[in-house]
């Protein structure tokens, strides 16, 4: 990704599906991540929405071989610094400001700033950023909107996230300007509550299969 370095890995190429994880109980972080990795989803976005999120990133980074753990819901330069310090290997934001973008550019890891309009995409392209999160995907226009952006802005690539399900993921992944999708359907609340990590692994495998259709 240009703002980091020409040889930096792309978030969009880590995996076709990126689980978007909200960790409420720290003890769930490692077994959940192990199940996702075993199911073929190594890129894991832990959102900074709970008090234990940074500790969860730290635990996954230290204890789950094969996991590429990142931080989501990054909305401030402080979030950037704390996430990288915890071991996050990529950053994802729901939107961006000049100061947040500058912090992510200086973090030394790949990042996806969030956009939902053509003007935001153009503004990032002007700054040398061509890989972005499209959020909230379904509410902001879904596959039809992203397909429309591909005509005038073919250099922009996206990870759509927000409202995507196992039933809609394949349609997004079929678009030329989509590198991966983010979602949480492989982590249903009842399975997490029951600590049913075998089910999570199975759903992760099904998510991988969607990208191969």
């Amino acid at each position: 990704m240009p703002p980091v370095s020409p040889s930096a890995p792309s978030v969009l190429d880590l995996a076709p599906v990126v689980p978007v994880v909200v960790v409420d109980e720290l003890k769930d972080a490692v077994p959940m991540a192990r199940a996702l990795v075993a199911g073929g989803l190594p890129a894991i976005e832990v959102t900074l929405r709970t008090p234990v999120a940074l500790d969860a990133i730290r635990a996954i980074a230290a204890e789950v071989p094969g996991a590429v753990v990142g931080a989501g819901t990054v909305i401030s330069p402080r979030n950037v610094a704390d996430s990288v310090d915890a071991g996050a290997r990529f950053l994802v934001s729901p939107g961006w400001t000049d100061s947040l973008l500058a912090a992510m550019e200086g973090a030394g890891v790949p990042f996806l700033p969030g956009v939902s309009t053509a003007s935001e995409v153009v503004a990032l392209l002007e700054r040398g950023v061509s890989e972005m999160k499209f959020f909230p995907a379904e509410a902001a226009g879904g596959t039809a909107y992203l397909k429309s952006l591909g005509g005038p802005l073919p250099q922009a690539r996206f990870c759509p996230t927000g409202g995507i399900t196992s039933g809609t993921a394949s349609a997004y992944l079929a678009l030329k300007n989509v590198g991966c999708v983010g979602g949480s359907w492989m982590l249903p609340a009842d399975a997490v509550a029951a600590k049913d990590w075998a089910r999570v692994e199975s759903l992760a495998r099904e998510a991988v299969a969607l990208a191969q259709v």
Side-chain angles (χ1 to χ4, degrees), residues 75-190:
I75 59 172
S76 70
R78 177 62 183 269
N79 285 163
V80 171
D82 288 346
S83 298
V84 174
D85 182 66
R89 293 170 60 185
F90 64 91
L91 305 169
V92 183
S93 69
W96 64 277
T97 63
D98 287 337
S99 60
L100 177 57
L101 186 63
M104 291 193 291
E105 287 178 330
V109 298
F111 60 91
L112 294 175
V115 298
S116 60
T117 69
S119 294
E120 291 170 329
V121 174
V122 171
L124 285 177
L125 290 174
E126 282 186 348
R127 290 162 172 79
V129 179
S130 61
E131 300 185 347
M132 313 165 195
K133 172 180 177 173
F134 180 62
F135 176 83
E138 286 290 282
T143 55
Y145 190 88
L146 278 173
K147 185 176 181 179
S148 296
L149 287 179
L153 302 168
Q155 63 272 57
R157 296 178 69 218
F158 302 95
C159 174
T161 305
I164 297 175
T165 68
S166 60
T168 59
S170 293
Y172 281 97
L173 290 167
L175 297 176
K176 293 181 180 179
N177 57 352
V178 169
C180 64
V181 300
S184 56
W185 71 86
M186 69 296 297
L187 293 161
D190 58 340

Side-chain angles (χ1 to χ4, degrees), residues 10 28 109 182:
S10 166
D28 290 342
V109 298

